[in-house]
Amino acid sequence: MIGARRLYQTACKSQVQVLGRTYEVDSMSNISNSIAEKLNRKLLNETLSPLSLLCRRIQGHFEQAHPGQFEFIQDDNPVVRVTQNFDELLIPPSHPSRSPHDSYYINREFMLRTHMTANEREIMASGVRSFLLVGDVYRRDEIDTSHLPVFHQLEGARIFTPDELLKMERPLGKLNSHMEAELGKQALQIDHDPRLVRIVIQNLYETLEGFMRSLFGRSSQIRWQETYFPFTQPSFEAEVYFNDKWLEIFGSGVLQKQVIHDSIDKSNLGWAFGMGLERVAMVLHQIPDIRLFWTTDPRFHDQFRSQLTNLDQPIIFSPFSKYPPIYRDLSFYHDSSFQPNEIFELIRNVDANVIENVQLLDEYTNPKTNQMSKCYRITYRSMECTLTDSHVNEIHSSIRQASQSLLNLQLR
Ligand code: DAH
């Protein structure tokens, strides 16, 4: 019963401590033990973590390609006001990412940021107009080899005065043709001068293409596509062709006027982008499972030691061994209020370290009674040792009990 007891204790508390501060718990609070444990370990401060190596490499590129231009900031405190994470970025009240099924709330007022964009305005307010920002972000998510509820992002932004922009202007028609076509599909912000917007986009494009080529190779194939974000307009997403696949690398765009902090003159324009660090580190080093970033096994970190003196040459990770998986199924009846993220969170809280994947195998609605059922297959596999059947049985039985007692699911 390990899992059920732990979750229950959290649910009974009236206050929680997050990174040394005490917060009142209310009906929105949903920070679980498995996530609370992750809050204290700051991977970006571990020299041999591929994530901190990637940050140093990115910083090196920007210092070399744009000397003195960008301030590099690491923000290790993921607690932000709900308004910072959503409202000030114009994310609508009905947006699904606001749901406590998708995000971690400390209480109604504070949450764990779901993206680094949440800290952008406070950096602008401190007078910094051009920056690269890294930190840990949190999202309730499915369980598989490329998702964990905690990961890291790089956010970048650059704000210009109209004069600065006009000095950078080049003859028209210099935008890359692909970018030109994608720009043509989107409306500009109503009070933006199209001439200035083009210069912002030109700078965004040149800066970020150069950045991607520094990571993936000078001659890599890159494509830009129009997309939508509430905090930018127009918006673009960039993909790179790497190891025979198109990979989405970041979202970007021209910052919405209201998102630029009020301390900055209204005539200014700027661009921003945001990128996940694990995704990029996983493809560059061929790291097969996102849980490896959190292992304390020296066989992982030691492989990256030589990279400290040769940042631009990513080491290809060689798996120290792949221990065998053990599968168990979890089948239950549920009603229409059931949210898959709740079962994922429950499973993580029983034992986050030995579960590689949770996959929906089968679902069914009885047409006569409208009763619904689902069957999930859980893949148990440790990164560090071979699991025994009896250990897995014990964990699986805790998951079954917790699903009944905490989520009221009727097991089949
Ligand atoms: N915050 C977005 C996310 O987490 C990424 C992003 C998109 C950041 C566009 C930006 C941007 O600054 O302009 O998915």
Side-chain angles (χ1 to χ4, degrees), residues 114-118 120 139 151 153-156 229 231-232 235-236 250-255 271-275:
T114 62
H115 54 174
M116 291 308 291
T117 317
E120 227 170 51
R139 292 183 196 173
F151 59 103
Q153 280 189 335
L154 164 73
E155 179 85 17
F229 298 104
F231 31 88
T232 49
S235 306
F236 306 94
F250 57 73
S252 65
V254 177
L255 281 166
W271 55 252
F273 77 103
M275 167 181 123

Side-chain angles (χ1 to χ4, degrees), residues 30 38 68 108 144 178 194 212 237 256 387 397 404 407:
N30 66 352
K38 294 268 196 289
R108 195 171 303 290
D144 63 29
H178 207 102
M212 281 202 282
E237 123 193 316
Q256 288 282 5
L387 296 174
S397 128
Q404 280 177 308
L407 297 183

